[in-house]
Amino acid sequence: MSFRITPLTDPACGAQSRRLAWLASDADSIPVGTAFLRLFDGGQEHLAELTLHVHPVERSKGVGSRLLHAAVAAARDNARRCVSAQAEAGSPGSHFLPAHGFRKVLTLRYARLPLADVDATALTGIVERPHPGYRLTSWQGTVPDDLAQTFADSRRAMDDMPMEDTDFGIVAWDVDRVRAAAKAVEQRGDQLHTVVALDTADDSIAGFTELVVPGNGTGDGQHYGTGVLPEHRGHGLGRWMKAESIRQAHGRYPDLGGLLTDTADSNTHMRHISDSLGYVPTHTTVQYQLDL
């Protein structure tokens, strides 16, 4: 059976990345698969991220291989040195990617906190426990102007997060980038909530945690990242901030089902925090990388 691969114009281009797209269709012009390749910049100009789907009925017919060939060629044309892709453990993708030269570089463990099971009293106890030298504050949407620079500076807390063998690079953050990221969440109709720990000596941000909630307040929220600057670690700030984030979500969104988080398998510290707050493991995905 013959298939046609058609490059598409993808409107999902942001300030820090752009995305290429391809559609696979059969001889009757019926879509059977898609591939998207995100090209990053801002410290990750070497990286391309692949998302590839083939209709289950059309698998093992060469559709995925042709889509992959188009995406890899585009990555090379754009001077990328590697392509990354994720697949759930045991899924067809976890067999397809290694068979096409991708190597396993990172294992991510996913977990969910059912908000119906949250003990609000216990959360309040965690949040109200004193952390000498620090205080919590929070905002919804874009960072307030008076905290914008210190928030951008605090993003380096993620620079040394465990990424196993991934060629992830260092993301370069500035005020424009943090504002653009918040704007992107708003434009798609979701709500971004940020909790930070401030160093009371100078009101600089020592750590942060971000949560994105669907715009209608239903379904599940998604944790985007929790980080504490190296010079402020060892004071329990990560658990403190995350507990406050959960407490706020629990109180503000009565119809929200739960909160989702994903953590590198090797990040035992953050996994322990999630476990201690009641998150229940759901599944595991594997990140693969093709070196070009």
Side-chain angles (χ1 to χ4, degrees), residues 98-222:
H100 288 79
F102 284 75
R103 59 188 177 89
K104 176 181 174 181
V105 292
L106 177 68
T107 299
L108 289 169
R109 296 191 179 273
Y110 287 74
R112 181 177 185 270
L113 175 67
L115 287 179
D117 297 344
V118 165
D119 184 337
T121 301
L123 275 180
T124 298
I126 296 171
V127 171
E128 294 184 351
R129 190 172 302 143
H131 287 69
Y134 301 95
R135 65 182 179 89
L136 294 177
T137 192
S138 61
W139 63 84
Q140 181 175 333
T142 304
V143 58
D145 289 345
D146 62 326
L147 291 175
Q149 186 59 60
T150 183
F151 183 51
D153 293 342
S154 75
R155 305 297 301 206
R156 66 179 174 86
M158 305 295 284
D159 288 353
D160 62 348
M161 63 180 174
M163 291 298 290
E164 297 174 21
D165 201 24
T166 305
D167 187 3
F168 188 72
I170 300 297
V171 179
W173 288 93
D174 56 19
V175 171
D176 288 342
R177 183 164 190 153
V178 297
R179 287 175 173 158
K183 188 68 174 177
V185 174
E186 177 188 350
Q187 287 177 336
R188 69 170 186 254
D190 293 336
Q191 303 179 62
L192 173 63
H193 295 270
T194 306
V195 175
V196 300
L198 296 177
D199 181 347
T200 56
D202 59 6
D203 273 349
S204 64
I205 293 177
F208 64 89
T209 187
E210 294 177 308
L211 176 70
V212 173
V213 175
N216 61 6
T218 64
D220 287 340
Q222 175 71 58

Side-chain angles (χ1 to χ4, degrees), residues 14-170:
Q16 310 300 332
S17 68
R18 58 191 176 93
R19 201 167 67 156
L20 307 179
W22 295 266
L23 173 69
S25 52
D26 65 15
D28 296 319
S29 298
I30 297 174
V32 295
T34 57
F36 296 91
L37 188 73
R38 185 167 294 281
L39 303 171
F40 296 94
D41 58 15
Q44 295 180 297
E45 295 88 348
H46 66 287
L47 178 62
E49 183 181 77
L50 172 69
T51 304
L52 191 154
H53 294 288
V54 175
H55 190 285
V57 174
E58 305 298 341
R59 290 173 184 162
S60 301
K61 298 179 181 179
V63 179
S65 297
R66 289 190 58 189
L67 286 167
L68 177 62
H69 177 78
V72 169
R76 288 196 171 100
D77 289 344
N78 283 273
R80 305 292 152 150
R81 72 168 178 250
C82 62
V83 177
S84 68
Q86 274 193 35
E88 188 168 342
S91 69
S94 70
H95 302 290
F96 173 84
L97 293 168
H100 288 79
F102 284 75
R103 59 188 177 89
K104 176 181 174 181
V105 292
L106 177 68
T107 299
L108 289 169
R109 296 191 179 273
Y110 287 74
R112 181 177 185 270
L113 175 67
L115 287 179
D117 297 344
V118 165
D119 184 337
T121 301
L123 275 180
T124 298
I126 296 171
V127 171
E128 294 184 351
R129 190 172 302 143
H131 287 69
Y134 301 95
R135 65 182 179 89
L136 294 177
T137 192
S138 61
W139 63 84
Q140 181 175 333
T142 304
V143 58
D145 289 345
D146 62 326
L147 291 175
Q149 186 59 60
T150 183
F151 183 51
D153 293 342
S154 75
R155 305 297 301 206
R156 66 179 174 86
M158 305 295 284
D159 288 353
D160 62 348
M161 63 180 174
M163 291 298 290
E164 297 174 21
D165 201 24
T166 305
D167 187 3
F168 188 72
I170 300 297

